[in-house]
Amino acid sequence: MSASRVAARAGAATVLAGASVAVFSPAAPAAAMPAAAPGAGKDDRVAFTISDPRINESSGLAASALHPGVVYTHNDSGGVPKIFALGPDGRVKAVLTVGGASARDWEGMALGKDARGRPAIFVADIGDNLGGAWPYVTVYRIPEPSRLSSRTLPATAFRIKYQDGPRNAETLMINPRTNRLYIASKLFGGKIYEAPAKLSTSGFNVMRKVGDAPAIATDGAFSPDGRTCVIRTYFGARLYSVRPDGRPGKTLKSLDLPMQSQGESVTYTPDGRSLLVGSEGEDQPVYQVPLPEEALPSASPAAAPENAGAGDAENGRRDATGTRAGLFLVLAIAGAVGYGLMRGRR
């Protein structure tokens, strides 16, 4: 990532120095576990480390249900558009080239289905660091291969516009029950946008506001059973119930995440009991964060936790994504400076 893009991302790595989180190694014996930072989640563990030099800006994660233990990721931008299939040890098992796509500013990915109900991988070219420079953005879909091997797969492109005009976004989510696509905008006053029930390859798919998103949203995901969803930021994550209509509903809880250099990705594990969270940068660990009891899969798939909890403000809990005003102030200043530098160089 260039210096100007880092500035435009508002100096998140610097701001993160004030976060109070911690990490543990997943499968290592106790004596080999790294020292924890103050305020660590005692059950947070390193699932694997992305050490392949081809992946230095991992900006999305999606855990495969078709291939046990496989997690997909992609770089932020530049070069040939590729999706990397990672094994349980973090090593690349296959590279899927997205045929006919461009990699302008890839920011998120999710698993869903194609028009015939077959497993598919969606990747979102939805970043817009200049906040309106692009008249439309694009989501690409490729089939999830039944056999993992490096190959080029033809992409289906869906052009996206927002009902209220262009905006920067890094969060792509797909409800597994409805196969409907959702995007959360970034920066302050974030919103959740819903795509049409059926995406069209002609014209534009207009996204409409259906809810609020945390400030500085960098990724999100629906749980495998569709009962909950999560939106993360550089500082933490917010867990939501899902309404009967499939849209994100009430805030169930705010979650602390392990400190990361530039945390930009999140997905549920296939069993729905944990989150996997990743970061841009070289040799970055992907952490496994257990979910709280209210977010665990239900024995009854029809039971949704819509009324299981209200917002954190109502329950008196600290909201890791919404109340760190000092951090956001620094972030806003850094973002303004970065934007000015970028404009001055044009």
Side-chain angles (χ1 to χ4, degrees):
M1 180 182 291
S2 66
S4 61
R5 289 192 65 203
V6 171
R9 292 277 177 105
T14 301
V15 175
L16 276 172
S20 176
V21 289
V23 298
F24 290 83
S25 177
M33 287 187 178
K42 63 182 179 63
D43 294 322
D44 296 350
R45 301 183 182 280
V46 177
F48 55 86
T49 297
I50 301 177
S51 56
D52 192 300
R54 293 173 292 181
I55 308 171
N56 56 13
E57 289 188 282
S58 176
S59 291
L61 290 173
S64 174
L66 189 60
H67 303 286
V70 167
V71 176
Y72 298 107
T73 190
H74 60 79
N75 280 318
D76 188 308
S77 62
V80 178
K82 296 179 182 294
I83 294 171
F84 300 88
L86 308 176
D89 57 0
R91 295 182 181 180
V92 174
K93 294 175 66 70
V95 179
L96 307 178
T97 301
V98 183
S102 62
R104 180 186 57 81
D105 196 353
W106 285 17
E107 292 292 357
M109 67 188 313
L111 295 179
K113 298 186 187 312
D114 67 11
R116 296 171 57 184
R118 297 170 300 186
I121 304 172
F122 292 72
V123 62
D125 193 353
I126 57 175
D128 186 351
N129 289 324
L130 298 181
W134 303 98
Y136 68 89
V137 292
T138 307
V139 172
Y140 297 102
R141 185 188 71 203
I142 63 170
E144 184 178 11
S146 58
R147 180 178 58 86
L148 284 178
S149 63
S150 295
R151 66 181 91 174
T152 297
L153 294 169
T156 301
F158 303 102
R159 294 188 294 175
I160 301 290
K161 283 190 173 184
Y162 301 93
Q163 180 187 25
D164 49 356
R167 57 211 56 251
N168 190 26
E170 297 189 2
T171 301
L172 174 72
M173 306 186 295
I174 296 177
N175 187 319
R177 292 181 173 180
T178 64
N179 204 42
R180 200 159 191 167
L181 186 150
Y182 295 85
I183 290 175
S185 61
K186 198 182 177 185
L187 296 182
F188 302 97
K191 300 295 181 183
I192 299 173
Y193 293 83
E194 182 182 67
K198 183 178 180 180
L199 295 175
S200 173
T201 56
S202 63
F204 297 100
N205 297 276
V206 178
M207 308 287 294
R208 303 182 185 280
K209 287 188 293 186
V210 294
D212 295 327
I216 323 298
T218 61
D219 201 9
F222 277 87
S223 64
D225 64 4
R227 295 176 62 250
T228 64
C229 65
V230 65
I231 298 177
R232 73 159 297 170
T233 72
Y234 292 124
F235 317 111
R238 186 173 296 173
L239 184 68
Y240 298 87
S241 62
V242 174
R243 294 169 23 175
D245 61 7
R247 295 172 176 172
K250 296 178 181 179
T251 297
L252 292 175
K253 194 168 187 176
S254 287
L255 308 173
D256 285 320
L257 299 181
M259 187 193 305
Q260 297 177 291
S261 62
Q262 192 168 331
E264 295 211 2
S265 55
V266 65
T267 189
Y268 284 75
T269 53
D271 64 6
R273 304 185 68 84
S274 300
L275 300 176
L276 297 176
V277 295
S279 171
E280 289 195 6
E282 297 179 352
D283 295 314
Q284 289 297 311
V286 171
Y287 295 101
Q288 183 169 342
V289 179
L291 285 165
E293 183 177 354
E294 55 265 49
L296 296 179
S298 171
S300 172
E306 177 66 25
N307 298 315
D312 287 351
E314 299 174 11
N315 292 339
R317 292 192 295 269
R318 180 172 61 88
D319 185 343
T321 62
T323 62
R324 299 180 185 183
L327 290 175
F328 287 154
L329 179 60
V330 174
L331 190 64
I333 295 171
V337 172
Y339 179 79
L341 288 172
M342 292 178 66
R343 296 285 292 179
R345 292 174 182 174
R346 290 171 65 103

